[in-house]
Amino acid sequence: MKKKLTLLLMLAMAFFSAGAQNISLQKGWRLSIGDSPTWSSPGFDDSGWQRADLSKSWEQQGHPNVDGFGWYREHIVIPSSIKEKAFLKDSLTFTLGSIDDNDQVFLNGKLIGEYGGLGGVITESHYGPRNYTIATNNPAILWDKDNVLAIRVFDTGGDGGVYGSFFNIHMTDVMEHVEFDKNHDFSFGDNNSLGKSIVLTTKNKYNYKGTVLLKVIDPETNAVVLTKKTDTAHFTEGKPFQWWFTFAAAQKKSYIVAYVFTDKKSGKSIYDRETTPYMLTPAVSKLPKINGASIFGARPGHPVLYLIPATGQKPLKYKVQGLPEGLTLDAATGIITGTIDKKGSYPLVFTVTNSKGSDTKKFTLAIGDNIGLTPALGWNSWNAWGLSVNDAKVRTSAREMAERLSAHGWAYINIDDGWEAEERAANGKIATNSKFPDMKGLTDFVHGLGLRMGIYSSPGTRTCGGYLGSWQHEDDDAQSYADWGIDYLKYDWCSYGQIAPQNPNLDEMKKPYLVMRKSLDKANRDIMFSYCQYGMGDVWKWGAEAGGNSWRTTGDITDTWRSMSEIGFKQDPAAPYAGPGHFNDPDMLVVGKVGWGPALHNTRLTFDEQYTHISLWSLLASPLLIGCDMGNLDRFTLSLLTNDEVLAIDQDALGKSARQYGDKEGVQVWVKEMKDGSKAIGLFNTSNKYQTLSLSANDPAIKGYTKFRDAWRQQNIPAVSGKVAPHGVLLVRVSK
Ligand code: GAL
């Protein structure tokens, strides 16, 4: 699997390594494919192993198509002088670039760090870089002598090995574990004020004492609109420093907050910055309102589960006219269940009532061969929890979705990698690992909330996280999913790379997906089939005909502007292939608290970048899969995910993706045709400066259209024109 080192991490690493005394680990490594317990031992003779090049994966060094185990070894002297010269003397950090995918690291035969599905404890983010810190009094370190560092790598598919940009051993720098903890959310006060705790934390025992200087900058004018300073910044391990600051009149747009902490004794500083949130989505009305798509597809004879999404003051009462025989409605919850045997298009009318009034909506239940007629709206565990997902986290997500999001159409709770056992049961059936003691019970719980349940596997022997895949057990697994009540399967190529021929042709690429398609067809359930093979062979051209409801068009996304915008604005070639029942999937959302492991952080996208992300993905008719901790949804993220006019663009029944209409330096324009003859248009400011973006009334995209509506603000506007923040968007719905 390919990983991305983000620019930010690289900068941070460069920053931390600049002052420190580094022992380079860039050269001198030897590599052997295979696995043996003796290879961690310092006495083992590795002189016969090939020399390794850390700028390349092992595939690029003469081991094409090798997935599974391989080892890297290096002899290194760790001079005690680095300890003597260091300002802090208590710990040593091993920075090991990227490791693809999972690893155990041994120093002189003793395990000093591990990550991933080798049975290791999952303590880090999946995409690295791997930084392992140990105490300087750890007996594994042989000061001033020959040390053997050995890395046992387990590659689950695609490229494998140890490679990347930064490899060194260094004394942990005084600022290395100091952080402005930006995970404390802003709070929204009266009169448009914002408040926030500035929090400084460290994992060092050192007593930090110094100054915090804070500046708030208006990105429109570059003026510093607020400066604050405190000399009371004292903190140490376990005792963070907190400083509350408020900022008046800050909620109309995003500002930049820049901080510097300077430690008095060491004289060192750390810098950080963030932006301030502002909410565009209007408050939800107390009047009843029915949201969500206008169509839902199911196959004849298969169980139907549909929750009528509606907002308004509770209690709400639901009514459905035209409900065909075989289906029942729970009038108190709005959940429709049952089965229909006969194909056909069933026109329904939903009515939702409360003490304030009522709302009605026409809806089509399409019973036929096609499901997933609008893009899936849901949650997936990966971008939040990575392999550390467990039953409790899934239940929390489901509960929160039911409480706060399903009223806007959100419906899927999808478990990604990390639920599977490492070995099959004796009867060949797939088994869960100890984090998922009762998959059927969990699925029943999710269904009870009116939500649908998704799961993950690979056509290879192993998933990307190193757990069991479905290879040669496709029928068994599809049946297990059906028995549990699963409604969605993400099927990730991963170690299938070992089974497929090198450079597979189109038929060879389709093969594992067609095999699972057949197995799913035998199960008596509607299971949405989501292909994940990173866009190989222009999958958008054949994914639908090969039975997919969606297919990933790219590698993995991460929470940076670069990653999100490069993926999002490159979707035009795939755009013509989206349609009801089969959508392009440019990967899951990176808003809210993400982490790819147990430790989460607020997304590194600015607030305007998050507006761009949701707008662009909706224009692209992409599945919207929230990738954050649902148990910790802050007000901004919630407002971002509950804008019904924006979601309606994604959920439009025509199922078309926007096309790229304009692409010039600093501006992107994307236009999506909608079922009612209107268009949704995104004008994106990809530059670093404020810009006024407009389409003139004569522009062919809007000629003849007279009504313009700002979708985020849910307000009519006189023209397709507006001031747009750096990396932000104006999202407009135009109609005749
Ligand atoms: C990757 C995939 C991710 C996630 C991960 C799990 O290949 O693209 O979305 O599913 O595997 O190990």
Side-chain angles (χ1 to χ4, degrees):
M1 187 176 33
K2 268 246 153 70
K3 305 224 163 68
K4 278 180 203 156
L5 256 190
T6 65
L7 190 66
L8 204 84
L9 277 171
M10 287 170 65
L11 286 174
M13 305 280 305
F15 172 73
F16 285 125
S17 24
Q21 289 246 317
N22 288 346
I23 303 166
S24 171
L25 294 176
Q26 221 78 33
K27 297 212 166 88
W29 291 90
R30 288 184 184 267
L31 158 67
S32 174
I33 299 299
D35 194 27
S36 158
T38 60
W39 292 354
S40 68
S41 153
F44 175 78
D45 178 10
D46 57 26
S47 58
W49 286 15
Q50 82 178 86
R51 291 193 184 280
D53 177 349
L54 295 192
S55 67
K56 294 177 173 154
S57 67
W58 65 38
E59 273 76 7
Q60 293 163 325
Q61 297 177 73
H63 306 285
N65 246 358
V66 167
D67 300 326
F69 287 100
W71 283 72
Y72 287 71
R73 281 171 60 97
E74 149 117 295
H75 289 256
I76 193 96
V77 174
I78 308 178
S80 52
S81 61
I82 64 162
K83 189 165 52 170
E84 279 136 33
K85 283 184 198 147
F87 184 80
L88 283 189
K89 306 198 186 296
D90 49 1
S91 50
L92 194 64
T93 299
F94 294 74
T95 293
L96 298 171
S98 267
I99 303 182
D100 200 349
D101 294 284
N102 307 310
D103 58 273
Q104 289 176 318
V105 177
F106 300 86
L107 182 65
N108 300 314
K110 296 188 188 78
L111 187 67
I112 58 163
E114 61 185 327
Y115 172 79
L118 283 171
V121 188
I122 297 151
T123 53
E124 287 209 35
S125 157
H126 189 75
Y127 298 99
R130 305 280 192 264
N131 273 316
Y132 293 119
T133 296
I134 59 173
T136 40
N137 62 6
N138 187 320
I141 310 170
L142 302 176
W143 292 100
D144 299 313
K145 295 199 184 114
D146 182 51
N147 288 264
V148 174
L149 191 60
I151 309 176
R152 180 183 186 224
V153 181
F154 181 69
D155 173 33
T156 55
D159 286 348
V162 178
Y163 53 93
S165 307
F166 296 100
F167 295 88
N168 63 58
I169 305 177
H170 59 270
M171 288 296 298
T172 316
D173 185 84
V174 66
M175 287 296 167
E176 188 160 345
H177 292 307
V178 175
E179 254 178 40
F180 281 103
D181 178 353
K182 289 182 282 183
N183 296 317
H184 294 254
D185 297 319
F186 280 94
S187 65
F188 297 83
D190 296 338
N191 302 325
N192 276 327
S193 74
L194 280 178
K196 182 178 165 115
S197 263
I198 310 285
V199 180
L200 273 161
T201 63
T202 179
K203 288 184 202 137
N204 286 332
K205 294 202 172 41
Y206 176 70
N207 265 310
Y208 294 85
K209 285 190 179 172
T211 308
V212 176
L213 175 67
L214 169 159
K215 285 187 178 167
V216 178
I217 299 153
D218 180 344
E220 205 174 338
T221 58
N222 283 327
V224 175
V225 292
L226 185 77
T227 305
K228 287 198 171 179
K229 195 178 165 179
T230 175
D231 293 324
T232 60
H234 297 178
F235 57 99
T236 187
E237 191 185 26
K239 284 195 191 141
F241 168 67
Q242 293 218 10
W243 184 42
W244 178 256
F245 100 99
T246 53
F247 176 25
Q251 292 181 29
K252 295 273 189 221
K253 63 180 183 187
S254 211
Y255 291 81
I256 297 164
V257 188
Y259 324 100
V260 187
F261 165 69
T262 306
D263 177 56
K264 237 178 163 172
K265 213 174 352 153
S266 65
K268 295 206 175 184
S269 301
I270 69 157
Y271 308 83
D272 214 334
R273 52 151 52 197
E274 64 183 307
T275 55
T276 62
Y278 67 109
M279 285 183 295
L280 295 177
T281 305
V284 175
S285 158
K286 288 184 175 158
L287 296 173
K289 185 158 108 8
I290 303 172
N291 305 308
S294 59
I295 189 162
F296 181 73
R299 299 199 179 98
H302 288 184
V304 171
L305 173 66
Y306 186 83
L307 166 78
I308 300 170
T311 45
Q313 186 172 298
K314 286 182 179 160
L316 296 170
K317 257 187 82 186
Y318 299 79
K319 228 177 72 189
V320 179
Q321 251 171 285
L323 200 64
E325 206 180 307
L327 294 187
T328 48
L329 165 77
D330 181 330
T333 60
I335 299 174
I336 299 172
T337 49
T339 52
I340 308 179
D341 292 330
K342 238 180 99 198
K343 280 189 181 177
S345 174
Y346 297 85
L348 312 180
V349 179
F350 294 155
T351 303
V352 175
T353 315
N354 68 6
S355 59
K356 311 267 171 201
S358 75
D359 189 27
T360 61
K361 175 173 168 167
K362 287 187 180 161
F363 187 84
T364 305
L365 190 59
I367 304 296
D369 298 327
N370 295 328
I371 62 169
L373 301 180
T374 63
L377 285 185
W379 173 83
N380 172 294
S381 55
W382 184 249
N383 292 353
W385 302 115
L387 297 176
S388 73
V389 62
N390 60 26
D391 179 288
K393 286 170 174 153
V394 174
R395 278 175 203 259
T396 300
S397 302
R399 236 180 263 120
E400 292 294 322
M401 182 174 283
E403 186 118 316
R404 304 165 88 176
L405 291 171
S406 62
H408 303 274
W410 298 91
Y412 285 91
I413 291 290
N414 294 353
I415 309 172
D416 205 278
D417 203 357
W419 62 270
E420 320 84 339
E422 290 183 32
E423 298 305 328
R424 284 186 176 268
N427 60 3
K429 290 231 170 217
I430 185 86
T432 57
N433 62 42
S434 59
K435 294 185 289 132
F436 288 90
D438 178 10
M439 196 60 95
K440 172 87 171 72
L442 180 57
T443 306
D444 288 347
F445 172 77
V446 169
H447 286 166
L449 298 166
L451 307 174
R452 294 178 220 114
M453 178 83 163
I455 212 161
Y456 166 100
S457 188
S458 167
T461 54
R462 295 272 147 190
T463 65
C464 292
Y467 294 98
L468 270 180
S470 295
W471 167 238
Q472 292 194 325
H473 286 277
E474 293 83 358
D475 276 356
D476 278 344
D477 289 2
Q479 193 51 52
S480 295
Y481 305 152
D483 293 344
W484 291 333
I486 299 296
D487 307 292
Y488 189 111
L489 172 66
K490 171 174 171 182
Y491 208 45
D492 193 350
W493 181 268
C494 298
S495 67
Y496 189 80
Q498 270 171 285
I499 292 157
Q502 221 183 325
N503 304 320
N505 63 30
L506 273 189
D507 284 339
E508 289 157 348
M509 273 181 214
K510 288 179 192 171
K511 191 172 161 195
Y513 289 93
L514 291 171
V515 170
M516 186 47 108
R517 176 73 270 163
K518 257 198 182 155
S519 303
L520 291 176
D521 288 343
K522 288 182 209 159
N524 185 29
R525 259 199 101 70
D526 286 350
I527 300 182
M528 294 265 277
F529 197 15
S530 145
Y531 287 19
C532 177
Q533 45 83 293
Y534 338 114
M536 283 189 302
D538 292 353
V539 59
W540 45 90
K541 295 183 179 156
W542 50 267
E545 145 215 320
N549 295 111
S550 65
W551 44 81
R552 276 271 296 275
T553 53
T554 74
D556 292 7
I557 196 169
T558 189
D559 58 325
T560 61
W561 167 250
R562 186 170 165 184
S563 167
M564 185 274 287
S565 65
E566 276 182 5
I567 289 176
F569 292 125
K570 274 197 193 132
Q571 296 301 310
D572 195 55
Y577 300 93
H582 48 90
F583 294 99
N584 295 306
D585 172 6
D587 207 1
M588 302 172 290
L589 302 178
V590 281
V591 301
K593 291 182 172 57
V594 296
W596 294 270
L600 303 189
H601 59 265
N602 269 323
T603 177
R604 288 172 291 168
L605 296 184
T606 67
F607 295 96
D608 282 303
E609 289 167 358
Q610 296 182 61
Y611 282 121
T612 286
H613 187 18
I614 301 298
S615 304
L616 184 53
W617 263 237
S618 298
L619 285 163
L620 295 172
S622 154
L624 299 180
L625 294 170
I626 303 165
C628 70
D629 175 6
M630 296 274 285
N632 237 320
L633 274 178
D634 59 284
R635 257 179 79 183
F636 172 82
T637 309
L638 193 62
S639 83
L640 191 67
L641 298 173
T642 53
N643 191 309
D644 298 309
E645 293 197 19
V646 175
L647 293 174
I649 295 172
D650 180 72
Q651 291 295 299
D652 186 60
L654 191 61
K656 282 207 171 185
S657 166
R659 298 301 307 266
Q660 188 176 47
Y661 180 71
D663 173 20
K664 59 175 196 191
E665 189 65 35
V667 187
Q668 291 263 346
V669 181
W670 288 68
V671 180
K672 180 183 202 278
E673 286 171 38
M674 306 281 285
K675 175 119 191 188
D676 65 358
S678 68
K679 290 178 181 179
I681 303 181
L683 292 93
F684 297 90
N685 177 3
T686 55
S687 81
N688 293 320
K689 290 195 190 108
Y690 257 84
Q691 294 193 69
T692 297
L693 302 183
S694 318
L695 287 181
S696 83
N698 285 328
D699 190 291
I702 60 166
K703 203 166 176 185
Y705 288 78
T706 51
K707 290 191 204 132
F708 312 123
R709 191 164 167 86
D710 180 322
W712 280 106
R713 292 175 179 86
Q714 303 186 359
Q715 278 169 6
N716 296 333
I717 48 175
V720 181
S721 177
K723 253 200 256 171
V724 185
H727 297 180
V729 60
L730 176 66
L731 183 64
V732 187
R733 179 103 174 234
V734 302
S735 29
K736 289 209 162 131

